[in-house]
């Protein structure tokens, strides 16, 4: 990558952020189109998020991505929020237009596009999401409109119930479960928690309860222990790599106004496995 005096920066704010593959993907896209931009990750602790967002303006960044744990906390720090992101109440992409910071959410669309590529349909299905954070909000916004019933589980029942109420108001049948000791009846199960980022993490559910008919998704984009065990049980599995690709492509388009070179971005990800 050639850095010039005119190079502008797109940032990623997360905590942790060391595992990210987004710079590989976005910088390949910038380079392919000859755009004088670069994408850099920054480890931003929760208490430093306000200063980090202010730096987008101060340093004339073109924008930023947000990942765990900032997608919901960033909302009051922005000048404007896209209608869809406002309903989801989570932002993963910030665009800087002349010092005005606008928030968007590309996670949900990216996730649904990744399912479509793999021939997985949520329409009329019983779907379980484990977790009730920003990513759950984004994918739940779309899944609630397609699934027969969308069930949410979170260690904090209150948080799952609050999210279920929000998603129900947007359309669809959404419920909160008090436990997931029994997984029968679900067609699609999605881990939207950070459990699995490290190989030593506990699993978000008991894989011995899975049956081969279940599609198991993990929003973490490397092969997690959950996905490995689900594979062994004969389940169709979906990692977060497709969601990473498509949410990034949508963010790229928002920052640059250019059609994202999706296959270049995909090749970059495949050449740098997590």
């Amino acid at each position: 990558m050639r850095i010039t005096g005119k190079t502008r920066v797109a940032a990623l704010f997360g905590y942790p952020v060391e595992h990210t593959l987004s710079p590989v993907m976005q910088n390949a896209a910038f380079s392919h189109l000859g755009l004088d931009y670069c994408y850099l990750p920054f480890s931003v602790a929760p208490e430093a998020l306000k200063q980090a967002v202010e730096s987008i303006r101060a340093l004339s960044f073109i924008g930023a991505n947000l990942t765990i744990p900032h997608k919901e906390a960033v909302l009051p720090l922005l000048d404007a929020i896209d209608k869809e992101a406002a309903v989801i109440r989570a932002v993963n992409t910030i665009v800087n237009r002349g010092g005005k910071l606008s928030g968007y959410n590309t996670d949900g669309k990216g996730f649904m596009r990744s399912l479509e590529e793999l021939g997985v349909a949520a329409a009329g299905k019983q779907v379980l999401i484990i977790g009730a954070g920003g990513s759950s909000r984004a994918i739940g916004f779309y899944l609630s409109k397609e699934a027969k019933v969308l069930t949410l589980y979170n260690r904090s029942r209150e948080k799952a119930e609050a999210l279920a109420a929000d998603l129900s108001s947007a359309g669809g049948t959404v419920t909160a479960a008090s436990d997931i000791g029994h997984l029968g009846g679900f067609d699609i199960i999605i881990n939207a928690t950070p459990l699995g980022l490290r190989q030593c993490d506990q699993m978000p559910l008991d894989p011995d309860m899975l049956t081969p008919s279940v599609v198991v998704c993990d929003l973490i984009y490397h092969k997690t222990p959950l996905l490995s065990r689900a594979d062994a049980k004969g389940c169709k599995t979906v990692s977060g790599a497709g969601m990473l690709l498509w949410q990034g492509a949508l963010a790229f388009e928002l920052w640059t106004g250019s059609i994202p070179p999706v296959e270049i971005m995909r090749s970059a990800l495949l050449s740098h496995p997590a």
Side-chain angles (χ1 to χ4, degrees):
M1 180 186 301
R2 181 171 175 266
I3 303 297
T4 75
K6 298 180 180 179
T7 302
R8 295 186 66 192
V9 174
L12 170 65
F13 298 153
Y15 193 75
V17 77
E18 292 78 10
H19 63 283
T20 182
L21 292 179
S22 289
V24 170
M25 170 179 67
Q26 297 290 5
N27 286 321
F30 291 148
S31 178
H32 178 74
L33 294 185
L35 299 174
D36 196 2
Y37 300 145
C38 70
Y39 186 101
L40 298 173
F42 296 89
S43 180
V44 177
E47 62 271 18
L49 180 61
K50 185 175 187 292
Q51 295 94 315
V53 171
E54 289 171 351
S55 75
I56 298 173
R57 249 190 298 263
L59 300 176
S60 296
F61 288 2
I62 61 171
N65 280 145
L66 288 305
T67 188
I68 293 171
H70 302 316
K71 294 180 182 182
E72 296 170 85
V74 76
L75 291 174
L77 306 177
L78 302 175
D79 300 311
I81 300 172
D82 174 71
K83 289 181 179 179
E84 188 171 300
V87 173
I88 295 170
R89 289 171 53 192
V91 161
N92 80 318
T93 301
I94 299 172
V95 179
N96 181 6
R97 298 186 179 94
K100 180 179 179 180
L101 304 184
S102 299
Y104 299 84
N105 196 303
T106 66
D107 280 335
K109 286 180 181 176
F111 178 73
M112 299 305 289
R113 185 69 180 86
S114 73
L115 291 186
E116 181 183 334
E117 276 197 320
L118 294 173
V120 176
K125 302 292 179 62
Q126 298 272 357
V127 180
L128 169 67
I129 300 177
I130 302 171
S135 294
S136 301
R137 283 186 170 276
I139 67 173
F141 176 79
Y142 289 92
L143 289 168
S144 65
K145 299 174 184 300
E146 294 199 14
K148 180 178 181 181
V149 178
L150 175 63
T151 301
L152 307 174
Y153 172 75
N154 193 67
R155 285 179 298 178
S156 165
R157 175 68 184 269
E158 291 77 13
K159 191 171 183 181
E161 288 176 341
L163 178 53
D166 287 346
L167 295 178
S168 294
S169 67
T173 302
V174 187
T175 64
S178 58
D179 68 77
I180 50 171
H182 178 61
L183 297 175
F186 293 113
D187 302 299
I188 302 173
I189 297 174
I190 304 162
N191 174 40
T193 77
L195 293 174
L197 274 174
R198 303 172 302 172
Q199 292 298 310
C200 62
D201 286 345
Q202 70 181 64
M203 293 198 195
L205 56 84
D206 182 356
D208 289 333
M209 295 184 177
L210 296 172
T211 60
S213 62
V214 179
V215 176
V216 179
C217 308
D218 202 318
L219 300 192
I220 296 168
Y221 44 81
H222 61 244
K223 190 77 167 184
T224 61
L226 172 61
L227 293 185
S228 295
R229 290 289 299 276
D231 275 337
K233 297 282 288 187
C235 302
K236 183 178 182 67
T237 59
V238 180
S239 79
M243 176 178 170
L244 173 69
L245 170 65
W246 285 103
Q247 65 78 29
L250 293 166
F252 179 95
E253 187 170 1
L254 286 169
W255 292 324
T256 67
S258 300
I259 297 173
V262 173
E263 293 311 314
I264 295 297
M265 300 170 85
R266 192 194 308 273
S267 295
L269 289 175
L270 290 175
S271 65
H272 290 77

